Amino acid sequence: MAKFVLAGKADCPYYAKAELLADALQLSLPNFKIRKICILPDEWKKWLEATCVLNGWKHDKSPLIWRELLEQGGKGMLIGGFSDFLEHCQEYYSITSDMPTETMLSVSAENLETRVNFIKEQQQHHNSHINALHIWISGALNPTCHILIPNLLSAEVFPHTTAIILHMLEVEGDEEELKGLKMETEDLALPLLHHVTIHTDLELAFLEADVILLLDEWCDGKDAEDECHGERKLNKMKECYKEYGELIDTRAKKDVKVIVAGDSFVNLKCSLLVEKAHLTDSRRFVTMATQLENMARAILAKKLKVRASDVKDVIVWGNISGTFYADLQRAKVFNYNGPIKGPSFFSQSVLKILHDRNWRHEQDPAAGRLDGVTRDDSPED
């Protein structure tokens, strides 16, 4: 029995031609058997190198064809590429291929489409058997992600989740950078991480999303200097977030949680999402002021000579990237070295300890101080 293996790129016309030639031989010869290995174009080079190293072969193009010699105790005999396979068939079976170029291209395109659809169906079937949480991160190339991902994909954040599928989106972003981030994420071997997908367009954006984190940044210091350029970017951001809102409304789960974070226009971004996501409860959308809150806590901690983690319940109101103030009415401090002391769980009101109203009103968290943004409606002691 002659058993051949045909491997090639899904979009390779010569693989398509070799495939049809082998099919014809298998139909006409009862002892002629073939096995096909169709590889996606972006995975072909890696697969080819690994296969050649394993078998001690030298081959650098698609297709790769060999004859299996398992009955004779061997791994396999390399035939080569399409021309080598055609020559082999002419010599041993007196058969050739006269497929026109147009047909070759048509079959190769069909092979690629079939392979992509098969992988999608296989993934969907696999995902249907696990109760995975789908998390989408837009603006995935934001440097924050390197710190965010290992902390986000944890049992502490999602205690009732057994698996998480992470989708990283960077519209018009560098696909190679996304692949690098994907590899780094997979290398973390996080227990909850099922698998990672990357996206550079909105074709599948927010599909079946349970949690969405939007980290897109559209403006920087240069934009402030160039008013026209900044305005164009702002308009682009508005259009993008309106489209995000529509996609979230139609593709995400109805109980989706959407978090908008960043350094600029976060309130505007969130309002645009709510405006366009008509069918999704507006309470599902929140903006994050954690950065400003942490700045305020750090400044207070320095003043009170405690750790930043000892300052709790500082609230930031207003436009996070515009006019805002830090509210200390509920703020409390632990482990403060003052006249009144207690165990580690004992806390005191920040306003009752920090009597210097002028100092509070002179601070600015955004500038590394805490000036003028502290609201204090309570009377002084």
Side-chain angles (χ1 to χ4, degrees), residues 241-264:
Y241 268 75
K242 287 178 182 178
E243 189 171 4
Y244 280 1
E246 293 171 353
L247 293 175
I248 290 170
D249 213 27
T250 55
R251 294 179 180 177
K253 294 179 181 177
K254 293 308 172 188
D255 59 349
V256 64
K257 299 176 180 65
V258 183
I259 301 172
V260 184
D263 296 327
S264 58

Side-chain angles (χ1 to χ4, degrees), residues 151-200:
N151 290 284
L152 179 66
L153 308 186
S154 67
E156 185 178 351
V157 179
F158 300 105
H160 306 297
T161 300
T162 56
I164 293 175
I165 299 175
L166 179 63
H167 308 274
M168 298 190 292
L169 170 66
E170 184 71 44
V171 178
E172 298 178 3
D174 189 323
E175 189 172 353
E176 290 303 316
E177 285 189 50
L178 277 175
K179 287 181 179 178
L181 180 59
K182 176 185 176 182
M183 186 180 300
E184 290 175 13
T185 303
E186 292 170 338
D187 289 345
L188 292 172
L190 299 170
L192 291 183
L193 182 62
H194 186 269
H195 70 270
V196 182
T197 68
I198 59 174
H199 309 266
T200 55

Side-chain angles (χ1 to χ4, degrees), residues 1 10 46 62 64 72 105 115 126-127 129 137 146 148 153 157 178 181 198 223 244-245 250 257 260 301 317 329 371:
M1 177 181 289
K46 185 177 179 180
S62 175
L64 172 67
Q72 301 176 28
L105 296 174
R115 183 61 182 170
H126 184 60
N127 291 344
H129 288 78
I137 300 180
H146 291 279
L148 172 66
L153 308 186
V157 179
L178 277 175
L181 180 59
I198 59 174
D223 296 333
Y244 280 1
T250 55
K257 299 176 180 65
V260 184
W317 299 95
Q329 292 184 86
D371 301 5

Side-chain angles (χ1 to χ4, degrees), residues 50-67:
T51 303
C52 289
V53 169
L54 180 64
N55 294 278
W57 296 335
K58 289 185 178 181
H59 193 78
D60 59 1
K61 57 187 177 182
S62 175
L64 172 67
I65 304 170
W66 72 90
R67 181 177 177 180

Side-chain angles (χ1 to χ4, degrees), residues 55-193:
N55 294 278
W57 296 335
K58 289 185 178 181
H59 193 78
D60 59 1
K61 57 187 177 182
S62 175
L64 172 67
I65 304 170
W66 72 90
R67 181 177 177 180
E68 291 190 337
L69 302 172
L70 298 179
E71 292 85 355
Q72 301 176 28
K75 292 182 178 180
M77 181 181 72
L78 178 64
I79 301 297
F82 171 72
S83 299
D84 302 303
F85 181 58
L86 180 61
E87 185 178 335
H88 182 87
C89 292
Q90 290 172 338
E91 183 176 348
Y92 283 90
Y93 306 107
S94 301
I95 189 170
T96 188
S97 173
D98 55 358
M99 181 191 294
T101 303
E102 186 177 341
T103 306
M104 287 171 57
L105 296 174
S106 175
V107 172
S108 63
E110 184 180 338
N111 277 342
L112 178 60
E113 183 180 0
T114 302
R115 183 61 182 170
V116 170
N117 290 337
F118 172 76
I119 291 175
K120 286 182 180 179
E121 290 174 6
Q122 193 177 41
Q123 191 66 60
Q124 289 172 357
H125 175 73
H126 184 60
N127 291 344
S128 67
H129 288 78
I130 60 169
N131 186 22
L133 192 75
H134 291 262
I135 298 179
W136 282 81
I137 300 180
S138 176
L141 294 180
N142 189 311
T144 305
C145 277
H146 291 279
I147 302 171
L148 172 66
I149 289 173
N151 290 284
L152 179 66
L153 308 186
S154 67
E156 185 178 351
V157 179
F158 300 105
H160 306 297
T161 300
T162 56
I164 293 175
I165 299 175
L166 179 63
H167 308 274
M168 298 190 292
L169 170 66
E170 184 71 44
V171 178
E172 298 178 3
D174 189 323
E175 189 172 353
E176 290 303 316
E177 285 189 50
L178 277 175
K179 287 181 179 178
L181 180 59
K182 176 185 176 182
M183 186 180 300
E184 290 175 13
T185 303
E186 292 170 338
D187 289 345
L188 292 172
L190 299 170
L192 291 183
L193 182 62

Side-chain angles (χ1 to χ4, degrees), residues 1-5 26 29-34 67-69 71 88 93:
M1 177 181 289
K3 187 174 182 180
F4 290 84
V5 180
Q26 187 169 234
L29 301 172
N31 291 326
F32 188 96
K33 302 296 180 184
I34 60 170
R67 181 177 177 180
E68 291 190 337
L69 302 172
E71 292 85 355
H88 182 87
Y93 306 107

